[in-house]
Structures are given as structure tokens and as C-alpha cells.
Amino acid sequence: MIHLSHVSKSYKTSTRPALDDVTVHVEKGEFAFLIGPSGSGKSTVLRLLLREEAPTGGRIEVAGRDLGRLRRSKVPQHRRRLGCVFQDFRLLTNKTVEQNVGFALEVIGRPRGAIRTIVPEVLELVGLEGKARRLPHELSGGEQQRVAIARAFVNRPLLLLADEPTGNLDPDTSADIMLLLERINRTGTTVLMATHDNTIVDSMRRRVIELQLGRVVRDEARGVYGVGR
Amino acid sequence: MRAGFVFSEVLTGLRRNVTMTIAMILTTAISLGLLGFGLIVAKLTDETRTLYGDKVQVQVYLTVDQSRSDPDCTGAVCQGLLEDLRGNPDVASVSYESQEAAYQRYLRTFASQPEMIAIVRKEALSATFRVSLVDPQRFRVISQDFTGKPGVLSVDDQSEVLDKVFSLLNSVRNVAITIALIQAFAAVLLISNMVQVAALSRRTETSIMRLVGASRWRTQLPFMIEAVFAGLVGVALAILGLVVAKLTFVDKIFGSIISTGLLPPIDGTYLVFASYWLIPIGIVLSGAAAYATLRAYVRL
Ligand SMILES: Nc1ncnc2c1ncn2[C@@H]1O[C@H](COP(=O)(O)OP(=O)(O)O)[C@@H](O)[C@H]1O
Ligand SMILES: [Mg+2]
């Protein structure tokens, strides 16, 4: 599903490369954590996969597509096959829950009828039935993140990218969000989650890819966050 | 893509950005109003030209000797002049008036003034070539070419009057169009600014659109529609301004000149003509400015 081969990335404004010769392969259906301290390059990996940034070197393949050969006009099509959630939820504050989720379908031109049936299904999947008409500020942090996950998942992506999705949540709520991500993973969706939350990583016992200063220092099939933490 | 959905985005955008939108609409209106004025003056110049083209003729007076010795214009000198006139590319048509015909016309013109008839002598009158021009603005060419030729007494081309009329109309038009261009430049900058502010205030929307794979076209469309819509309101105001200007100002000031026949009447067709150009110009101006801004400054 994800193939990074000798990928490096240097931002113009910084001297140290954000990623340095990273080689990682994630198979279809896997659930993998991308861990490491702040500044180690986790978000950069996700941005490269989304094709928000282009690598300085190396080769990136997502779902059988070589991103280096992807034409600019094909980038939207590429992103339609991915879902993405962030620490700060990124909801539209003036739209209700169902409008926020429907927005992702509307802007890619899905017909109104399809939206009307798909959105309630997905809201039920993430446990937000009955809250479809609420505005984001009428929801708890955990519920807002569920809306974001619903929006990322509504288009049935092959791959879900999550950048510190529990970063703003308390431990109990975080655990609920992890259950939801697991459930999404069980539908066959590959999940790649960047985090530096050791409790979560340790409790899940999933694959762990650890970055430090832009290099992969560990890649374990059923890992924990690490010793001494 | 659903029109209603895009439209609601556009309305929200315009409302959120209301001062900038008003500034942009007014600048566009002033710019296009002036451009419309310039277009109207240009059309007026054209119509004046045709108006005069029908009336204005350059008269080539022949010498008295020539007029008397060759009354029917069969001699070499007179035929030579006629050939030269007919061969001249600026000349539309030539007619010959003999001394006898000139005399008869004189008698008719002054039929009610016996004292004028008393002083005329047929032998003192000149035969004349009456020359109609393709472009009445080029009247001077004929006098340059034909003054002093053998057999020619003088060329009367009414150059002073015509010069004044045409140069006045041309300079009014040039001033209006120059100001219009400067204003159009200001309008383009304002449109660009409006689009930048709009894109900034809707970063979250556009970043989500980008994230979920909305096409670039779909992401930019609301901004383009917004700019074009504001541009069209500007066009409407400009046309309204022209209508008001015509009713209150042009009809009063130029009314008397027009009734003397010096200028052609300025009627509704002028406004239709101006609108015909202003509407597409307004759409293209605002749409292109928005498109270029989105391409250049806004990451979508
Ligand atoms: N847009 C950017 N411009 C310049 N440097 C950046 C940019 N984004 C990230 N970086 C740098 O790249 C390195 C990795 O950043 P990031 O991928 O955000 O790490 P993480 O998500 O693990 O905290 C950091 O040193 C950071 O300062
Ligand atoms: Mg990060």
C-alpha cells in the first residue's frame, strides 16, 4: 500500500533534512504507528504521502501509484483514495456535523441523493447518530475528532492517515478514538498513525516505525513505544 | 457539481468580505463607466464622420479662363484634373458643375434677393468639381494635391471647422479611455486583493477541499464566480451611470448642438452599443484577474 524507497526531504528554509534516506513498506490492511519525538519527520512523511510536498530524493508509491510520476492535475484523484485526520480536527465551524461530513462528498461532485444515504451510515459507524444537526462547538473534543474521522472515511479510502489524532484528547477519549481507528482498520483500510503518545502505542501492540532526526531507527511488527519512556 | 451549493458558498464569501467587495464594485463601475463614455464618444465621432461625409464636399474651383474656355470639361486640362480626382484613392465621387450650372444655382439661391442677382456676372463665376471623400477627415489631402495645379483657382475644404470638431471629439475620447484604463488597472488590483482576502478568510474550507481531493477547478470556482458577480454588479452600475448621465447631462448640454445638426443625435442605441461591450469586458476583466490571482498567489 505504501512504499517509501530511500526517500529524503529537505525544506528550503532549514539546514537539516526533515527526512533522510527513509525506506518503509506498509502492506494493505496493516495498522502502523509512526513514532518519534517532535521534529523527527512524522508529519513530513504524511504530507509526502498526500502529495502536499514532493520528496527531494527517492521514490514514493501509494496504492500502486508512483507519486513522482503523478501529474499535478491527477493529485486530487490521488487524494480521493486517502483519508486524513489531524490533531486539530479541522472542521468547518459554521457547518453542522452532517454538513461537515457531506462537504467532503459535495466538493468531489457526488450527487445529493448518494450523500443523503452515505452520511448517516458513516455517522453511525463512528458513533455520532443523533448528533448530525449539531455544530462543532456543541460537541466534545472526542466527538469532534469522530466527525473528522467520519469525513476522512466517508469516501471509503484505501488508506487512512492520522497525524497525532489523540494529541488534544484526554486518555479515556483517546482510547475510544483508537477503538474507532481499529474498527476502520478491520474494514480493510490501511491505517498509518503518527503519534508520540506512548500509552496508546504500548497498549495496542501494533507495528511501530520509529523516526529520529528524519531517519528510521526502528521498525517492529508488534512494538512498544520504547525503553526509558 | 451542484449549483446551489456553489452559490451558497459565493454568497457567504461576498457577505464576509463586504467592504472590499463594495470598493471593488465601485472601482469597476467607475472604470467601466468611463470606458463606456469613451466608447460612446468614439461612436459619436464615427457617426459625425458619416454625417459630414454625406454633407461635406471639397470644392475645387477652376480659374475663370478655364471655366469659360472649356464649359463642358472636354479639354485636356479639365479632363486631366478629372482623371486625377477619380484616380485618387481618397475620393469617393466627383461631379462637375459648369459655369452655366453655377450661374443657374446662384440665381436659384438668391431668387428672393434681387440686389445679389444684380451684381452677378456669369463670366466671373467658376466651374467647380464637387468632390466627396471616402473619409471626410482626410479633406486636406485634396487641397494639398490640387491647389496651384494649372486650371485650378482654389480648393475650399472647410478644414478649420472640421479640424476643430474632430480634434475635440478625438481628445475627449482619448482622455476618457486613458482614465478608464488607469481605473481598470486599479479595478484589477482590487479584484486581486479581494480574491486574496477571500481565499485567506476561507483557508480552512479550501484546505479541506484540497485534502479530500476536490479538483483545483472546483476549489477555485466560488472565488471566480464571486469576482465575476461583483464585476457584473460593477457593469450594471456603470450602465446605470451612463443612462443617468445621458438623461441629466448630455441631453441638456449637447441638445442644442445636436439640434443645429453639428452633431448626430445621441439616442438609446449608444447605450445599447456601450452595454454590448461593457458586459463582456466586465466579465473577462474580473474573471481573468481572479484566475490570475488564484494561480499566482493562492495555494489551493
Ligand atoms: N514547512 C516547513 N518548512 C521548513 N521546515 C519544516 C517544515 N515542516 C517541517 N519542517 C522541519 O522538518 C523537520 C520535521 O518536521 P515534522 O515532519 O513536522 O516533524 P514531526 O511531525 O515529527 O514533529 C523539523 O525540523 C521541522 O522544523
Ligand atoms: Mg507533526
Side-chain angles (χ1 to χ4, degrees), chain A residues 1-8 22-28 30 45 48-49 55 57-68 78 82 159 161 190 192 207 209:
Chain A
M1 180 57 60
I2 301 174
H3 298 283
L4 300 178
S5 314
H6 306 290
V7 171
S8 26
V22 169
T23 298
V24 166
H25 303 285
V26 178
E27 296 310 317
K28 187 171 181 334
E30 262 193 276
V45 169
L48 289 175
L49 295 175
R59 206 179 120 91
I60 303 176
E61 207 180 279
V62 178
R65 235 180 262 192
D66 182 351
L67 296 195
H78 164 65
L82 313 185
L159 170 64
L161 304 174
T190 311
L192 180 64
R207 179 170 173 194
I209 302 157

Side-chain angles (χ1 to χ4, degrees), chain A residues 20 37 39 70 90 97 148 189 204:
Chain A
D20 184 6
L70 197 65
R90 304 199 187 170
V97 168
T189 308
M204 298 273 292

Side-chain angles (χ1 to χ4, degrees), chain A residues 11 13-14 16 18 37-44 47 53 163-164:
Chain A
Y11 290 103
T13 49
S14 88
R16 179 176 72 79
S38 184
S40 57
K42 305 183 294 294
S43 300
T44 300
R47 277 203 292 274
E53 300 279 354
D163 195 352
E164 317 227 9

Side-chain angles (χ1 to χ4, degrees), chain A residues 52 72 79-80 90 106, chain B residues 5 208 210 213 216 299:
Chain A
E52 285 210 36
R72 237 169 97 83
R79 291 190 183 142
R80 284 176 201 189
R90 304 199 187 170
E106 267 158 352
Chain B
F5 181 65
I208 292 169
R210 213 150 47 88
R216 190 183 175 94
R299 187 180 175 193

Side-chain angles (χ1 to χ4, degrees), chain A residues 50-213:
Chain A
L50 270 170
R51 189 64 169 80
E52 285 210 36
E53 300 279 354
T56 337
R59 206 179 120 91
I60 303 176
E61 207 180 279
V62 178
R65 235 180 262 192
D66 182 351
L67 296 195
R69 299 236 203 105
L70 197 65
R71 273 190 286 130
R72 237 169 97 83
S73 58
K74 295 282 182 230
V75 171
Q77 254 105 318
H78 164 65
R79 291 190 183 142
R80 284 176 201 189
R81 311 207 292 170
L82 313 185
C84 201
V85 292
F86 301 93
Q87 180 170 359
D88 56 0
F89 318 139
R90 304 199 187 170
L91 301 178
L92 295 171
T93 52
N94 58 344
K95 288 193 193 297
T96 64
V97 168
E98 63 184 1
Q99 285 169 342
N100 263 287
V101 178
F103 186 77
L105 295 172
E106 267 158 352
V107 299
I108 60 169
R110 298 290 295 272
R112 190 193 291 259
I115 295 172
R116 259 202 296 263
T117 55
I118 297 173
V119 170
E121 281 168 22
V122 172
L123 287 181
E124 197 187 325
L125 178 88
V126 302
L128 282 175
E129 60 272 35
K131 300 201 167 141
R133 299 276 156 83
R134 300 243 192 126
L135 289 169
H137 74 263
E138 297 166 333
L139 299 173
S140 71
E143 289 168 335
Q144 292 187 41
Q145 190 61 291
R146 284 167 191 274
V147 180
I149 292 171
R151 183 181 64 200
F153 189 64
V154 72
N155 210 17
R156 303 287 160 163
L158 303 166
L159 170 64
L160 185 74
L161 304 174
D163 195 352
E164 317 227 9
T166 59
N168 276 346
L169 305 175
D170 61 64
D172 286 349
T173 317
S174 298
D176 291 344
I177 293 297
M178 291 318 297
L179 286 177
L180 178 56
L181 291 180
E182 270 201 304
R183 194 185 309 161
I184 283 176
N185 177 235
R186 276 200 299 275
T187 67
T189 308
T190 311
V191 177
L192 180 64
M193 169 169 161
T195 185
H196 54 230
D197 185 332
N198 50 349
T199 330
I200 287 177
V201 176
D202 290 349
S203 69
M204 298 273 292
R205 286 298 186 129
R206 295 293 196 132
R207 179 170 173 194
V208 170
I209 302 157
E210 181 172 353
L211 290 175
Q212 260 175 27
L213 297 175

